[in-house]
Each structure stands twice: as structure tokens, then as C-alpha cells.
């Protein structure tokens, strides 16, 4: 683990935080990451209603995950509305799936604050859970294990984290990766519809 953290630190020093924000988009051929063999480890956290929520509730369904925090000054104000748009599009198509936003700032992002954030962005709280109730080290480890993506505090108060959306299958495997900053979401919607309906 120490070697991994040293490597991550070296990458940050050499290339700044841009590598974590993964700007730009790709075609549908770039979405499939099933061969990477990533899977979400078992977890049990707390949602925006203060209720326990984790892999037990998610088993057996597809769900879309991302990392955010409520005081994010940079990428989250784009990512969260994009996630909401995907949730709305899937609901309009009658496709049932879950949506999870893990905060990377759990000390500040209480359930109450996440509830207010969710309400302000128009999230449907029945299927979209904003999770907290863990230590920074826990979400850092989960992000690396499940998404191969580091979480890194930055000097300006920002927190470097992936801007990707990850689709997890009913067995907990991470099978798709989408650009959470992409303005044209039609390719993502099409891929979600095809994957969740037919796989």
C-alpha cells in the first residue's frame, strides 16, 4: 500500500491534477472496461436520509456510481447535473437501476448536507443515494479497488477524484466507464439502455 501511495504521489507531482479529471469523451467502444476485472468490495455506509446503505441493497441490480463532494469548486457542479439527466432519461425509458454518489469529503458531508445537496440538484432519492459515514481512508481505498482511481487532497482545498461514471452489474463487477463531464450524453444513454436491458 505504501508503494501504491508513493506512486500516486509521484504522478501528482509530475503531472498535476488534470490526470484525475479525465477530460474529453470517447465513442461507445471506449465504454466497456469489463476486461479490467474491477469489482466493488463489500461496503455498508449511510445515505442522505441517515439510513444504512451498501452492497446488500445493491446486489442484483445495475447501478451507476461516481465520486463527488458538496463543496467541490470545479468538476462536481457539472457531474451531478449530468448524473441527474441520466437518471431522468433511464426513468423515462422505464429502466430500473440504482445511482450512487460517494462523497470524498465525509467529514464535512453529513447526511443532512447531502440531503440538501440532493434536493437542490433535483435528484430522485428513491433510487439515487448519496453516501457518507466513513473515513477518508475508506473511500480512498474503495475508489482505488473498485475504480482504479485515486482520491487526493489538493493545496487549494479541492479534492482530486475521478470524473468518470462507472456502471456496476448485478454481481458487483465494474463493466462500463463513462465521461461524467461529457455534454453530449446521448451515446452514454444509448449504451446504458443497451447494457442494462439486454446483458
Amino acid at each position: 500500500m505504501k508503494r501504491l501511495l508513493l506512486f500516486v504521489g509521484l504522478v501528482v507531482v509530475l503531472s498535476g491534477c488534470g490526470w484525475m479529471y479525465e477530460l474529453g469523451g470517447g465513442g461507445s467502444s471506449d465504454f466497456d472496461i469489463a476486461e479490467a476485472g474491477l469489482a466493488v468490495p463489500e461496503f455498508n455506509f449511510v445515505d442522505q436520509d441517515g439510513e444504512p446503505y451498501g452492497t446488500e441493497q445493491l446486489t442484483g441490480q445495475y447501478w451507476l456510481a461516481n465520486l463527488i463532494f458538496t463543496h467541490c469548486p470545479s468538476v462536481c457542479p457539472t457531474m451531478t447535473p449530468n448524473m441527474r439527466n441520466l437518471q431522468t432519461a433511464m426513468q423515462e425509458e422505464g429502466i430500473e437501476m440504482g445511482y450512487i454518489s460517494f462523497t470524498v469529503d465525509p467529514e464535512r458531508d453529513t447526511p443532512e448536507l447531502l440531503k440538501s445537496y440532493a434536493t437542490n440538484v433535483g435528484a430522485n432519492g428513491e433510487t439515487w443515494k448519496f453516501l457518507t459515514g466513513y473515513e477518508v481512508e475508506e473511500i480512498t481505498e474503495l475508489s482505488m479497488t473498485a475504480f482504479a482511481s485515486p482520491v487526493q487532497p489538493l493545496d487549494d482545498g479541492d479534492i482530486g477524484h475521478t470524473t468518470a461514471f462507472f456502471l456496476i452489474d448485478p454481481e458487483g463487477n465494474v463493466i462500463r466507464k463513462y465521461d461524467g463531464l461529457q455534454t453530449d450524453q446521448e451515446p452514454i444513454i444509448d449504451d446504458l439502455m443497451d447494457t442494462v436491458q439486454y446483458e
Side-chain angles (χ1 to χ4, degrees):
M1 188 65 182
K2 288 182 179 178
R3 288 182 180 176
L4 177 62
L5 291 175
L6 183 62
F7 172 74
V8 169
L10 184 60
V11 172
V12 171
V13 170
L14 293 176
S15 60
C17 65
W19 62 283
M20 283 184 268
Y21 288 158
E22 300 169 12
L23 294 170
S28 60
S29 61
D30 295 332
F31 295 153
D32 191 344
I33 61 167
E35 289 187 6
L38 298 173
V40 178
E42 197 170 307
F43 67 85
N44 187 32
F45 298 145
V46 176
D47 69 14
Q48 69 267 35
D49 295 314
E51 298 294 329
Y53 199 90
T55 45
E56 182 179 347
Q57 288 78 17
L58 290 163
T59 299
Q61 67 172 307
Y62 285 91
W63 51 286
L64 198 63
N66 73 343
L67 278 70
I68 56 95
F69 63 109
T70 61
H71 289 81
C72 176
S74 50
V75 294
C76 304
T78 299
M79 293 170 61
T80 302
N82 282 349
M83 180 78 98
R84 182 201 60 225
N85 293 342
L86 293 176
Q87 182 188 43
T88 300
M90 292 300 101
Q91 288 174 337
E92 288 176 351
E93 294 293 335
I95 298 175
E96 294 183 6
M97 56 183 291
Y99 305 83
I100 300 292
S101 289
F102 298 95
T103 178
V104 295
D105 190 11
E107 292 183 4
R108 189 156 48 170
D109 284 343
T110 61
E112 294 79 12
L113 189 54
L114 288 171
K115 178 82 169 182
S116 176
Y117 182 80
T119 300
N120 288 340
V121 300
N124 181 342
E126 291 297 314
T127 56
W128 189 353
K129 302 299 179 180
F130 292 77
L131 300 187
T132 188
Y134 42 80
E135 301 297 323
V136 172
E137 292 77 12
E138 291 179 85
I139 190 59
T140 300
E141 184 175 350
L142 185 147
S143 183
M144 281 302 301
T145 301
F147 310 130
S149 301
V151 173
Q152 180 70 36
L154 304 175
D155 291 338
D156 58 1
D158 200 352
I159 301 173
H161 59 86
T162 180
T163 59
F165 296 163
F166 298 92
L167 181 65
I168 296 88
D169 73 10
E171 289 74 45
N173 301 305
V174 183
I175 60 170
R176 292 288 193 275
K177 179 180 180 181
Y178 306 112
D179 179 4
L181 298 176
Q182 187 167 311
T183 53
D184 178 11
Q185 293 185 299
E186 286 305 315
I188 299 175
I189 292 169
D190 290 343
D191 189 75
L192 278 173
M193 289 176 59
D194 289 343
T195 305
V196 176
Q197 281 185 318
Y198 301 118
E199 274 203 7

